[in-house]
Amino acid sequence: MNGVGLELLQLGNRFAELSASFYHPVTPQPLKNPFLVAFSTDAAALIGLDPCQASAQQLSEYFGGHRLLPGSEPLASVYSGHQFGGYSAQLGDGRAALLGDLPGSDGQRWELQLKGSGKTPYSRHADGRAALRSVIREYLASEALAALGVPTTRALCIIGSETPIYRESIESAATVVRLSPSHIRFGHFEYFYYTRQPEQLKQLADFVIEHHYPHCNESEKPYLAMYSEVVERTAKLMASWQVLGFCHGVMNTDNMSILGLTLDYGPFAFLDEYQPDYICNRSDEHGRYAYRQQPAVAMWNCVCLAQSLTGLVKQTDLEQALNRFEPLYAVAYTEQMKLRLGMSDKAPQDAELIEAFLQLLQQAKADYNAAFLALEQVADGDPEPFTLLLGDNEAVADWLQRYRARIGVNATELMSRHNPRIILRNYLAQQVIGRAEQGDFTDLAQLHAALREPYKEHLEIYSQASPEWGKNLSLSCSS
Ligand code: AMP
Ligand code: MG
């Protein structure tokens, strides 16, 4: 693999071009006895870093808060956001430092953000740290979603340490190096809107357009064009999440990426049984962020963003752009779902066929992802695994008859490219976390290696439903 050594990465910081009201310079605080826990060669390739020229010791020093990369002037940015429907006036990077950005192998610039790097002016009463378990979850999930083709921030590496942190019990602090073309959130716009700083808001919109949506400048209404594209990307992201059964868990506007990426992995989960009302976040008592709510909540979040842009874009234009959310979502959802079902052409009854499939899954409490793999066997001529999972009854038989009549000869080939053989089920993550907390990272590396190639056959347990004890785990926000 081509690339340069860690010490040769030269960082700039475009975000610092924004005025001082956007951020605060910070210094990452050193972790005690840092060590390398995990490293993603895929993420390294994005920034032209040669893994062979990045030793565990160097990585631990640079990303354990002991050294700064050339050119790095870390900062923490301010934002706000709607959390569980209520407005929180001041949030910000409370435990992350933007180290800088650098040109990637794809020509775009990538930001490096160090999460868990210690207190910042936005830490409020918290410690600025992240628990090893939570950075492992973020690392695995972002690399898994990327491999599945879902827009997401990336994770370069995890650094563990002997620094104690106090959560429900004493844990050890760790960092994860997050990569993204931008870490700007809807909440950044909300902050400057609600603090009545129209100049800064405009500066922010101009910055986002210049660096991330430059083609919008060709439009007569660049701010509207940008908003419209954010709506589009967000709607499509929701389609990808729903089709995969991914539940984010904390879809506050401060966790919504202006680039339509999956951002801020907390108590997320992939569906076990198909239960549309499933809530993965233990603190989400009313199910605001339940699986089935995600598209509607994302649209609500787009309304919050629209509100922040009312000084730059006409209300009626914003409304029109927002009105595209639902149809964009519906089309993307049906298209992606059809691929999982092995259907590439169009037929008028497709949406209805999908809906009927989901109803069967729900009635049978069938495992969502395992059902697609069983269906692949139907397409291949063996309906038994499917009827075992869904029941041997008339409704299933009727649906199968319609399904068989609908699919073409290329169905199994299509399905094998769109139905993952491994899903990052929470219990799998919990198991490797348990081992990692004991200092053994081999299972973590093995799971990561499998997640990198989700359409290949792996260990059988990776494609199977969760065992009873590991089903529908709901996690706390504590991280
Ligand atoms: P989250 O729910 O993780 O998206 O976090 C919400 C806000 O709280 C963000 O502004 C975070 O930066 C901040 N935050 C979360 N955990 C910590 C922590 N341990 N120390 C400081 N700030 C935190
Ligand atoms: Mg967050």
Side-chain angles (χ1 to χ4, degrees):
M1 190 187 291
N2 290 327
V4 300
L6 197 56
E7 283 156 329
L8 291 180
L9 294 180
Q10 180 66 41
L11 269 56
N13 201 342
R14 290 192 306 204
F15 194 88
E17 292 163 16
L18 291 162
S19 54
S21 46
F22 282 84
Y23 61 88
H24 222 278
V26 292
T27 308
Q29 287 145 27
L31 289 170
K32 187 175 170 205
N33 296 335
F35 50 85
L36 183 67
V37 172
F39 182 83
S40 167
T41 51
D42 298 331
L46 295 173
I47 55 167
L49 170 64
D50 178 358
C52 302
Q53 296 186 62
S55 71
Q57 191 187 337
Q58 281 179 320
L59 289 162
S60 310
E61 286 176 7
Y62 281 113
F63 302 127
H66 293 259
R67 287 173 78 179
L68 286 177
L69 286 166
S72 177
E73 291 179 17
L75 61 85
S77 72
V78 63
Y79 52 82
S80 62
H82 280 82
Q83 299 186 312
F84 290 92
Y87 185 63
S88 300
Q90 194 181 321
L91 302 165
D93 297 322
R95 53 165 165 176
L98 178 61
L99 299 176
D101 53 58
L102 77 183
S105 45
D106 56 357
Q108 70 175 325
R109 289 189 80 87
W110 287 81
E111 289 183 355
L112 269 70
Q113 202 189 55
L114 188 61
K115 184 169 176 180
S117 57
K119 281 189 184 163
T120 77
Y122 312 111
S123 301
R124 292 170 290 170
H125 302 296
D127 60 4
R129 292 298 191 190
L132 178 63
R133 76 183 142 78
S134 84
V135 303
I136 290 178
R137 287 172 55 79
E138 167 140 7
Y139 173 87
L140 288 175
S142 44
E143 292 309 276
L145 285 190
L148 288 163
V150 180
T152 175
T153 58
R154 301 295 300 266
L156 177 66
C157 65
I158 298 176
I159 307 300
S161 79
E162 290 173 8
T163 300
I165 53 169
Y166 305 90
R167 299 292 183 261
E168 278 136 28
S169 61
I170 301 182
E171 300 187 50
S172 60
T175 58
V176 57
V177 179
R178 190 148 71 172
L179 304 183
S180 178
S182 171
H183 290 83
I184 295 176
R185 302 143 191 272
F186 288 12
H188 281 95
F189 284 85
E190 291 181 281
Y191 176 79
F192 291 101
Y193 172 74
Y194 287 102
T195 53
R196 295 171 205 268
Q197 301 187 64
E199 283 300 313
Q200 274 80 352
L201 191 74
K202 184 174 173 304
Q203 213 189 105
L204 180 61
D206 288 338
F207 179 87
V208 169
I209 291 174
E210 181 190 345
H211 296 299
H212 306 290
Y213 296 102
H215 49 280
C216 291
N217 269 327
E218 285 154 33
S219 154
E220 264 176 44
K221 298 178 177 176
Y223 302 121
L224 170 63
M226 174 195 78
Y227 178 70
S228 197
E229 198 160 329
V230 176
V231 167
E232 182 171 336
R233 289 195 192 188
T234 306
K236 288 183 175 166
L237 179 70
M238 288 310 112
S240 301
W241 286 4
Q242 298 306 100
V243 167
L244 268 172
F246 176 77
C247 310
H248 183 283
V250 204
M251 289 177 65
N252 295 332
T253 55
D254 52 299
N255 291 337
M256 297 293 291
S257 151
I258 202 70
L259 301 184
L261 307 173
T262 311
L263 173 66
D264 273 12
Y265 293 85
F268 69 83
F270 286 87
L271 287 181
D272 280 309
E273 292 151 357
Y274 181 71
Q275 295 177 26
D277 291 326
Y278 174 63
I279 305 164
C280 61
N281 179 350
R282 208 188 298 155
S283 323
D284 183 11
E285 281 164 35
H286 304 293
R288 180 180 172 86
Y289 301 138
Y291 167 74
R292 80 151 89 224
Q293 298 297 335
Q294 297 190 122
V297 166
M299 188 166 150
W300 190 90
N301 291 342
C302 287
V303 174
C304 293
L305 179 62
Q307 181 63 42
S308 301
L309 294 173
T310 44
L312 295 172
V313 188
K314 252 177 39 193
Q315 183 118 3
T316 47
D317 283 348
L318 288 167
E319 277 163 19
Q320 258 184 22
L322 186 68
N323 285 340
R324 292 171 61 237
F325 186 100
E326 281 174 324
L328 280 167
Y329 168 77
V331 168
Y333 176 82
T334 306
E335 263 174 19
Q336 292 182 38
M337 199 66 161
K338 277 170 58 183
L339 293 172
R340 294 201 72 175
L341 290 167
M343 305 174 333
S344 54
D345 54 348
K346 267 196 181 144
Q349 310 301 329
D350 287 342
E352 200 269 316
L353 192 68
I354 293 168
E355 188 48 41
F357 171 65
L358 294 176
Q359 270 172 24
L360 293 177
L361 292 193
Q362 191 174 354
Q363 275 152 21
K365 294 199 170 72
D367 184 87
Y368 182 65
N369 277 290
F372 288 95
L373 296 179
L375 197 59
E376 211 172 301
Q377 287 176 276
V378 172
D380 213 13
D382 178 12
E384 207 184 308
F386 191 76
T387 46
L388 263 176
L389 199 63
L390 286 155
D392 199 355
N393 57 50
E394 213 181 306
V396 173
D398 283 353
W399 187 86
L400 276 179
Q401 196 179 15
R402 286 171 59 201
Y403 174 70
R404 281 207 192 90
R406 170 69 183 85
I407 54 175
V409 283
N410 65 342
T412 40
E413 188 271 328
L414 208 55
M415 292 170 91
S416 68
R417 284 191 286 118
H418 292 94
N419 288 314
R421 269 66 180 147
I422 175 163
I423 285 292
L424 179 59
R425 296 174 189 273
N426 271 337
Y427 93 95
L428 289 173
Q430 294 295 91
Q431 281 179 330
V432 302
I433 287 167
R435 301 295 291 270
E437 286 175 336
Q438 305 301 315
D440 179 352
F441 312 129
T442 44
D443 289 359
L444 169 59
Q446 189 182 32
L447 181 57
H448 174 222
L451 291 167
R452 287 178 67 203
E453 298 185 299
Y455 303 109
K456 277 201 174 160
E457 300 295 338
H458 298 285
L459 294 178
E460 222 178 316
I461 53 152
Y462 287 162
S463 63
Q464 286 170 348
S466 302
E468 282 308 317
W469 65 264
K471 271 186 192 168
N472 308 323
L473 296 177
S474 81
L475 280 100
S476 83
C477 263
S478 139
S479 60

